[in-house]
Structure formats: structure tokens, C-alpha cells
Amino acid sequence: MTERLQPGDVAPAFTLPDADGNEVSLADHKGRKVIVYFYPAALTPGCTKQACDFTDNLDLLAGAGYDVIGISPDKPEKLAKFRDKESLKVTLLADPDKKVTESYAAYGEKKNYGKTYMGVIRSTIVVDENGKVERALYNVRATGHVAKIIKDLGL
């Protein structure tokens, strides 16, 4: 298990395919702040709520200089379905081998209904213009999370 990221850490670099199979890198966003959020699965209720909340607030976030990237273990085809079905405007990236998710410490032990298993830990990492971690939030709730980030960022 990777150590959880802390403010001031260099955000791990990544290049992953988006919903259309195009490669997207964290480096593509240099000079802008990036909200990178990790979610367990496209087309599930909590993840849909979170992605829709980010989409609904994208103009506000983009206006304040933030790009939003959602990363899940889903394949690009499923991400395209998710984006189209929910009219999502955030960039969705596929991490089927979970290497990037693990490098951000967003994969690990979870408990649900008394069972312990390995899975994606719903997490949000705010990366500054220089590629450093500004905030690292782990085990976040899908509902109300985007509003909390906006409040925490003073937007």
C-alpha cells in the first residue's frame, strides 16, 4: 500500500486513456490547478451523483482555474457510456490496472457490511499549478463532497 499523499508532495505523474481512448496526462494541465478524484465504478448511484455534482459546478471550478479529472478502473467504453448517459462534462480516465489509483493511495482495504475487501477508496486530490499536492482527501462521501471542496477552496 502506498502512503497517503500529503500537502506539498509531488503529485504522481500519469497518462491514461479518456472515454474516447485519447491519452491524457497530468502534465497536460501544468500551469492550472487540477482536482483529481478517484471513484469505484461508473454508472453506480454514488459515483453518478459525484460526477454530476462536479459537472454541475464545472463552470465555477474552471473559472477559478481548476480542471477536474475523474479516474476509475472502468474501461474507456464504459466511461463513454457513463459520460453520454449522464451528460458529464468532466474528463473521465480509465485506470483498469489501478496503477495510478494505487500511486495516489486511492486503492486499499475497504469495509462494507462487515466484509473487508480491496477496492477503490473514494478520494480527491487537489494538485496546484506546479504539480504539488495542495489537498488530499480520502474516504470522502459521494453526496455533498463537491460542495465541501468548493467551500474549502473558498470559491
Side-chain angles (χ1 to χ4, degrees):
M1 252 252 354
T2 311
E3 284 286 310
R4 289 192 166 178
L5 297 174
Q6 301 295 326
D9 288 351
V10 173
F14 61 79
T15 301
L16 292 170
D18 69 8
D20 299 314
N22 302 313
E23 300 271 295
V24 175
S25 298
L26 182 59
D28 299 342
H29 298 269
K30 195 139 184 74
R32 286 185 61 81
K33 294 183 179 209
V34 187
I35 296 171
V36 182
Y37 78 97
F38 294 88
Y39 62 100
L43 300 166
T44 58
C47 298
T48 298
K49 171 87 179 100
Q50 189 178 19
C52 289
D53 282 353
F54 271 120
T55 292
D56 293 346
N57 289 286
L58 200 56
D59 289 345
L60 171 71
L61 291 165
Y66 290 90
D67 296 333
V68 179
I69 297 174
I71 298 177
S72 75
D74 300 303
K75 294 202 172 355
E77 303 76 33
K78 186 172 179 189
L79 296 179
K81 233 182 254 170
F82 185 35
R83 177 195 61 203
D84 298 345
K85 180 177 188 275
E86 302 297 338
S87 304
L88 300 174
K89 304 246 181 315
V90 296
T91 301
L92 299 175
L93 301 182
D95 184 24
D97 63 9
K98 302 177 200 72
K99 279 195 172 46
V100 174
T101 305
E102 287 176 4
S103 74
Y104 276 77
Y107 185 82
E109 208 170 84
K110 295 174 67 166
K111 285 185 171 47
N112 202 5
Y113 302 115
K115 284 196 171 83
T116 302
Y117 60 97
M118 297 301 282
V120 175
I121 298 163
R122 193 180 302 277
S123 309
T124 301
I125 311 299
V126 180
V127 181
D128 72 14
E129 303 89 339
N130 303 313
K132 290 215 186 306
V133 174
E134 195 175 288
R135 292 163 193 270
L137 309 162
Y138 292 95
N139 292 313
V140 301
R141 303 194 65 73
T143 307
H145 176 59
V146 176
K148 183 182 177 340
I149 289 175
I150 289 169
K151 186 170 174 258
D152 288 352
L153 295 174
L155 306 179

